[in-house]
Amino acid sequence: MSVEWRTVKPQPRRDNTPDRKDLHLAELLDFRPDQGIIRLHEQRVVILSAAAMGLMRKELVDTLGTEAARRVAIRFGFADGYHDAVNLRERSKWTDPIEGIRAGAVLHTLEGIVRADVRKIEHDAATGRFEEEVVWHDSYVAEQHIHHYGKTSAPVCWSLVGYASGFVSACLGKEIYFREMSCVGQGNKHCVAIGRDAESWGTDLELIRADFQAATVGHEVERLREVVSKRVKELDRRERLLEKRERELNLLRDRINRHAASKNFIAGSEAMQEVLELAARVAPLDTTVLVYGESGTGKEFIVRLIHDQSPRAAAPFVSINCAALTETLLESELFGHVRGAFTGAVRDKAGLFEVAGSGTIFLDEIGEIAPTVQAKLLRALQEREIRRVGAERSVKVNARVVAATNRDLRAAVDAGTFREDLYFRLGAFIITVPPLRDRREDIPPLVHNFLVRAASRMKKEVSSVSADAMTTLMNYRWPGNVRELEHAIERAVILANNPNIRVRDLPPETTQKSRVRAGDDTLDLQEQERVMIERALERFGGNRRKAAEALKISTVTLWRKMKQFGISS
C-alpha cells in the first residue's frame, strides 16, 4: 500500500542525524508504539493511505472545481517541500545545495509518495540560473486521479510539482518553479517534470506564479462561494416553483376526482388513479392526446374529462366515430364540402374541424380511417388548416384533437395500414385505459353503482349482491369491460325476485367455467386455433372484421372456422 508521510509537529533535534548523502529509512524512522508517535528525521509524522489522500483530493476537485483544487494542491505541496528542505538542511552537512536537492529526491522516495529519478541538474551560482529534469515513477497522485476520474488531457501531479518547487526553492534560497511536462494520468509510462529559476521561465512566469499564490486561491474560493450562493438561490426558487406546481396539481387532482364522482365514474384502483393523474396533467396543455383501451373501458369519459378541465372547456366539444362512416362521408364530416363537390352536395357544409372552433374534436376509433383521410388529417394537425372537399382555398383551424382507439396503432404502422408520421403526431401524449380484468378492485364499487342506478330506473327493491354472485363477477374476464358489467347488472336486476342478486340472476356467460386457454398443457392444434379465435372475438366485442385483421386471416376464413368449431359471435 502506498503511504504518504506528513509532518505534524516539529520535535527537538536529536544527535543521531545521518551525515551521509545516501539516506536509509531505518536510520530516519523512529517508532514509538507505546506513545502513538512516529518520527521521520526528527519530525513527527502520521501514516495516511493513498486512498484516503485520493478521496480528499476528489473532494477538493468536486467541491472547488479542477482549477481551484489544482492551486490548493500546489500550495500544499510547496509548503510541505519547503518545510522538509529547511529541516533536512539544519540537520545535514551538505557541501552544496545540489547535494541537498538530491537528498530531497531520496527523501521523497523513502516517504512512499513517488520514486524520484533526477536525470539532470544544471546550476550556475554566479548567474543564479538553474534547471533540473526529474522523472517520477509510480506516482500515487496520478494513480488516485486515474482511479477516480480516468485518464485526463493535462498533468495531474499537482502536489508533487509544488513539493519539488518548495524543496528546491528552500535549498537555493530563491524562486524555483517546476512544471510537469508529461504524466501517467495522461497515459504516459512515467511522469516528467522540469524545474527552472523564475527568470528562466520568461513570459510564462506570471502564470506560474499565479498558481503558487495563496491570494489567487482565495479569490477563486470566493468566486466559487458566490457561484454556490447563486445556485442555492436558484435551487430555492425552483423548490418554491415546484411546491407551487405541486399545490396546483393537487388542486387539479381534487377537481378531477370530484368531476369523476359527479359523473359516477369509478376509479378507485391504482391503475385508474394513474389514468386520471395523466388526464389531469395533460388537460391544461394544448397538445394532441391519444387514448388507448379496449371497447367499454371508458375512453370517451377520459376524453370528455380532458376537454372539461382544459382552457377550451367553454368552447364546443364535437365527436365522430371514424369506424361508422365510409371514406367519402368521413372526409366530408371532418373537413366539410362546397356545393357541387359531389352528387348530393346541394349546399356548402362546414366540417367538424370548423364546427369545433377553438374547442375539442374527438376522433373515436381513429385506427379505422382510410389512408387518403389519414393524409388529410396529418396536414390538418401539422399546418393547422383544412380544405373542404371541392374547395380551392384552405381554412385555418384551431381545434384541439383528442383521439381514441382499441387497436394497436404501433402494430398497424408496422403492418403498413396506418401512417407512421400520423401515429407520432397523434401520439404526442398517450393514455392507456386498463381493461376491467386488470383492475378487479374496481368491480365491487362499480357493481354497487350500477345496481343503485338500475334499481332506481326500473323501480325495483334490489339493494345487494350475494357473496357467491360477487365472487362470480370478480372471476369473470369481462371482455366487454365496464359496459358489459353494466349490462350484466341491469339484467340481474330485471331477473331478481328478491332484494339480493344471486348467481342465477347473472348472464350465463359469467357463470360458465372457462374453457381450455392457449398456453395450457394441451398440444391439440385445433383446440389452440379455436381458443385464439374465441380470444380475438372477445377482445373486439364480436366484431368479425377486427378479429380477422388481428388474426391476419380473411373474414371468410374466420366465418368458416367459427362454423367448424361451433363458435357464435
Side-chain angles (χ1 to χ4, degrees), residues 447 450-451 454 473 485-494 501:
V447 169
F450 294 150
L451 177 62
L473 294 172
L485 176 62
E486 183 177 15
H487 293 163
I489 298 303
E490 286 184 356
R491 180 185 190 280
V493 170
I494 293 172
I501 290 178

Side-chain angles (χ1 to χ4, degrees), residues 230-258:
K230 289 180 180 179
R231 289 186 179 179
V232 168
K233 291 179 180 178
E234 177 64 17
L235 285 174
D236 288 340
R237 187 188 68 81
R238 291 186 179 183
E239 285 181 1
R240 289 194 298 270
L241 182 60
L242 285 174
E243 290 175 357
K244 179 183 177 182
R245 295 267 176 88
E246 187 64 30
R247 288 195 298 270
E248 292 174 350
L249 186 58
N250 286 335
L251 291 174
L252 188 57
R253 288 195 194 102
D254 291 340
R255 192 161 70 244
I256 290 288
N257 287 327
R258 287 197 302 270

Side-chain angles (χ1 to χ4, degrees), residues 189-248:
K189 290 184 178 180
H190 45 251
C191 306
V192 178
I194 300 293
R196 297 187 183 122
D197 58 282
E199 291 76 12
S200 295
W201 283 111
T203 56
D204 292 337
L205 179 60
E206 292 306 313
L207 289 175
I208 294 174
R209 275 179 171 162
D211 288 339
F212 285 82
Q213 296 299 317
T216 312
V217 177
H219 291 320
E220 182 68 15
V221 171
E222 186 62 31
R223 183 189 68 80
L224 289 168
R225 185 182 291 114
E226 292 177 1
V227 171
V228 169
S229 178
K230 289 180 180 179
R231 289 186 179 179
V232 168
K233 291 179 180 178
E234 177 64 17
L235 285 174
D236 288 340
R237 187 188 68 81
R238 291 186 179 183
E239 285 181 1
R240 289 194 298 270
L241 182 60
L242 285 174
E243 290 175 357
K244 179 183 177 182
R245 295 267 176 88
E246 187 64 30
R247 288 195 298 270
E248 292 174 350

Side-chain angles (χ1 to χ4, degrees), residues 19-21 93-104 171:
D19 57 359
R20 299 167 308 182
K21 290 188 292 184
K93 299 177 181 180
W94 295 337
T95 57
D96 62 68
I98 301 302
E99 182 182 348
I101 293 172
R102 293 189 180 278
C171 288

Side-chain angles (χ1 to χ4, degrees), residues 7 36 72 75 123 131 166 176 188 190 206 260 264 292 300 310 335 376 412-413 419 421 441 476 506 510 522 569:
T7 300
V72 168
R75 290 291 302 174
H123 179 230
E131 183 167 338
I176 303 295
N188 298 310
H190 45 251
E206 292 306 313
N264 295 310
Y292 170 77
E300 185 169 356
S310 73
F335 309 117
K376 293 188 177 182
V413 169
R419 293 180 64 113
D421 46 5
E441 58 267 44
Y476 183 53
L506 299 176
T510 63
T522 180
S569 58

